[in-house]
Amino acid sequence: MSFDVNVRERILRPVDEVFDAVVDPAKLSEYFISSASGPIEEGRRITWSFDDVGTKVEIDVISVKTGKEIVYESSALGHKLRTTITFEPDGADATVVTIKDSSFEMTEDGVKRALGQNAGWTYTLCGLKAYVQFGINLRSGLNKRLTDV
């Protein structure tokens, strides 16, 4: 038996603006990653760097439907995980973004990984919203330790 993780957020910006903030590596680095080897494009393998935790993640982009959906796979959690990001207009000036990770085994380890993904995607969508709506980078200062203050 397996289950999926689903996280969603309504962002007060048009779909094209929100979609662009997800596929453009310069914009993506304002709220999610430290850097990327390239933009999200169908058929590409992209490396995302997360300098704050000292790791890199490779994603294989399965499909991109401009303004509608991005699907990619990654093995960052130790098993193949498929992530689907959908963008739905909610009126002319708002977008509902849904992120779905498929799938997690109904085991103690699977539930632990799913809870981590849920927390991570919730933080990411909050960061996306802060960046796109208000120009705020919530990742600022993540590399600074409390002892450095």
Side-chain angles (χ1 to χ4, degrees):
M1 178 183 244
S2 63
F3 65 99
D4 301 333
V5 167
N6 288 285
V7 179
R8 59 185 281 167
E9 183 62 52
R10 184 173 185 260
I11 300 173
L12 300 177
R13 288 290 185 262
V15 169
D16 60 339
E17 189 176 334
V18 177
F19 185 84
D20 186 54
V22 174
V23 298
D24 181 334
K27 293 176 182 173
L28 199 59
S29 70
E30 292 293 324
Y31 65 91
F32 179 48
I33 60 172
S34 300
S35 63
S37 62
I40 294 176
E41 295 174 339
E42 192 167 312
R44 290 193 64 182
R45 173 170 279 178
I46 313 259
T47 302
W48 286 338
S49 296
F50 296 87
D51 295 345
D52 51 311
V53 292
T55 194
K56 293 183 180 194
V57 172
E58 287 190 339
I59 65 164
D60 293 311
V61 183
I62 307 301
S63 69
V64 176
K65 297 175 186 166
T66 303
K68 295 184 187 317
E69 181 183 82
I70 297 166
V71 179
Y72 67 85
E73 290 182 343
S74 171
S75 295
L77 295 178
H79 70 283
K80 189 178 272 189
L81 188 68
R82 180 170 284 220
T83 301
T84 303
I85 306 171
T86 58
F87 304 82
E88 295 180 54
D90 187 11
D93 296 322
T95 305
V96 175
V97 180
T98 302
I99 300 176
K100 175 182 171 182
D101 275 344
S102 302
S103 66
F104 295 88
E105 292 299 316
M106 190 58 81
T107 62
E108 184 176 335
D109 186 55
V111 170
K112 181 180 176 182
R113 289 173 189 239
L115 288 170
Q117 285 300 99
N118 187 305
W121 285 129
T122 299
Y123 179 79
T124 299
L125 286 178
C126 289
L128 173 61
K129 184 173 189 162
Y131 172 67
V132 174
Q133 282 187 210
F134 306 107
I136 297 170
N137 181 341
L138 296 180
R139 289 180 54 81
S140 262
L142 281 179
N143 291 323
K144 192 166 189 80
R145 291 185 224 130
L146 290 175
T147 57
D148 296 338
V149 177

